[in-house]
Amino acid sequence: MDKLAILIPAYNEEQTIEKVVGDVKAVINDIEGSVIYVYDNNSKDETANFAKKAGAVVRHEYAQGKGAVIRRMFREIDAEAYIMIDADDTYPVEAIPEMYQKVVERNVDMVVGDRLSSTYFEENKRPFHNVGNSLVKGLINSLFKTSISDILTGYRAFSYRFVKTFPVLSKGFEIETEMSIHATEYGMLVENQVIEYRDRPEGSESKLNTYGDGLRVIKTVINLYRGYHPFAFYSIFSLIFFLISMVLFVWRVLVPYSETQTVANFPSLIVSMILLVLSFITFFSGSILDSIQTSNRRNFELNLINTENKND
């Protein structure tokens, strides 16, 4: 088992990968048993060769997408602590020792490299990314009652138990959202660490699609909220069905009946009753799924115990 594993997912980053690996090597020299892993994700340039030349252990993931790369890294590598950093030279490697100490000395499960509290909004030249980061941060912190300062950052440190119990489901850049929510929902210790951010060097292109990846992140948030809080999620639809049913029944059925003593609007009566039934179905569906989720949480705690025993 490595003492510290530096994980660098890379796709077409020949311009910066050699510098990133070299900079990381310089700051982890004092950490005996540390290894730098670069996982090349079907790069069409010399990323893999440059990373190997710089002294990294180069491996390959042929399924496209950052989520696929992280799944491979987490399953293949055993270490006491992990630090994931992007290959685009936008994050300061000087923060690595402090992030590492938080994991090994204070048993923090995930350290989040917080760009948004420092230089991100000044350095980032894509205004819609700024808006998107703020929107996702506010949405997740409101829905999941957490206080993570930067949801979408790719600079994080992890404990062994987080890495070996995190189910990677996302395929693309929404993986960071999934990590953040998973850690907070299962009561893992998460801390923010403010870092300086610098924009990509000239000539280096971002792989993010502002609108496409943004929509995928929002979809991921909704799906995760449905999965982790099914009762609250389905209760919203139950309440909507119930209110529409009651309004339709009173307006189209009860009021005319009080005046004529006859039910004249049978279609409205039928629709209101169907909506009422749907309201009850969604309510009890949420209740059943909530019980299943409670059972899943218990099983997860047992898996944590087994994981910690293996680590020892």
Side-chain angles (χ1 to χ4, degrees):
M1 179 180 287
D2 301 327
K3 191 76 174 178
L4 169 63
I6 304 293
L7 309 179
I8 308 178
Y11 173 64
N12 290 345
E13 297 288 2
E14 67 177 8
Q15 182 175 345
T16 54
I17 187 63
E18 200 168 359
K19 179 179 184 301
V20 171
V21 172
D23 290 347
V24 171
K25 285 178 67 176
V27 299
I28 64 172
N29 276 336
D30 296 334
I31 305 175
E32 186 177 352
S34 57
V35 182
I36 303 173
Y37 295 93
V38 172
Y39 273 72
D40 180 64
N41 193 206
N42 301 315
S43 294
K44 298 175 178 60
D45 57 15
E46 295 298 313
T47 296
N49 291 333
F50 287 173
K52 188 178 297 184
K53 178 182 176 183
V57 176
V58 177
R59 295 181 179 177
H60 298 270
E61 171 54 51
Y62 298 104
Q64 198 67 43
K66 191 173 184 179
V69 177
I70 291 174
R71 181 186 296 108
R72 179 75 64 185
M73 292 191 298
F74 281 9
R75 299 301 168 258
E76 288 185 350
I77 300 172
D78 293 330
E80 293 182 18
Y82 305 76
I83 291 181
M84 183 175 72
I85 185 170
D86 288 346
D88 56 8
D89 194 31
T90 58
Y91 297 120
V93 299
E94 293 77 16
I96 288 177
E98 185 178 353
M99 296 172 80
Y100 170 71
Q101 293 301 324
K102 287 183 178 181
V103 173
V104 297
E105 293 183 1
R106 300 183 53 214
N107 296 319
V108 178
D109 290 299
M110 182 168 69
V111 183
V112 176
D114 173 19
R115 309 160 298 170
L116 305 187
S117 299
S118 61
T119 56
Y120 182 79
F121 294 107
E122 291 78 25
E123 287 288 322
N124 183 45
K125 304 301 189 297
R126 295 151 295 184
F128 288 108
H129 284 203
N130 297 341
V131 173
N133 270 282
S134 300
L135 175 64
V136 171
K137 171 187 171 182
L139 181 63
I140 289 179
N141 287 338
S142 297
L143 288 177
F144 295 92
K145 311 303 179 188
T146 185
S147 57
I148 296 178
S149 299
D150 191 347
I151 301 295
L152 302 177
T153 179
Y155 196 9
R156 298 168 189 254
F158 308 104
S159 66
Y160 177 86
R161 74 173 194 157
F162 176 89
V163 165
K164 296 305 179 182
T165 58
F166 173 56
V168 182
L169 303 178
S170 299
K171 296 180 179 179
F173 288 98
E174 63 271 25
I175 186 68
E176 282 93 357
T177 303
E178 190 179 329
M179 287 178 178
S180 302
I181 294 174
H182 172 82
T184 55
E185 281 297 311
Y186 284 110
M188 293 187 168
L189 181 57
V190 180
E191 289 192 2
N192 301 300
Q193 179 167 328
V194 178
I195 60 168
E196 298 294 316
Y197 174 86
R198 53 181 177 265
D199 204 10
R200 281 173 168 269
E202 187 176 351
S204 176
E205 295 183 3
S206 173
K207 313 305 182 299
L208 288 170
N209 182 304
T210 302
Y211 302 106
D213 288 320
L215 289 174
R216 277 191 287 272
V217 168
I218 297 299
K219 180 182 177 182
T220 298
V221 172
I222 294 172
N223 285 334
L224 290 173
Y225 187 74
R226 175 174 56 85
Y228 286 120
H229 298 281
F231 183 74
F233 181 83
Y234 286 101
S235 291
I236 295 172
F237 293 95
S238 176
L239 181 60
I240 292 173
F241 289 141
F242 180 79
L243 291 176
I244 295 175
S245 171
M246 289 298 98
V247 169
L248 186 61
F249 179 77
V250 171
W251 176 42
R252 298 290 294 172
V253 178
L254 191 59
V255 171
Y257 179 81
S258 65
E259 296 173 353
T260 63
Q261 303 302 308
T262 59
V263 179
N265 299 312
F266 272 101
S268 297
L269 175 62
I270 293 171
V271 171
S272 66
M273 291 302 101
I274 291 174
L275 290 172
L276 186 62
V277 170
L278 287 175
S279 174
F280 285 119
I281 290 174
T282 52
F283 178 84
F284 286 110
S285 296
S287 299
I288 294 170
L289 291 172
D290 191 65
S291 297
I292 295 173
Q293 176 63 9
T294 301
S295 177
N296 289 340
R297 289 177 185 274
R298 294 194 187 98
N299 293 334
F300 181 81
E301 288 300 319
L302 294 175
N303 289 334
L304 277 183
I305 295 173
N306 293 332
T307 301
E308 288 169 353
N309 289 337
K310 289 179 181 178
N311 191 25
D312 294 336

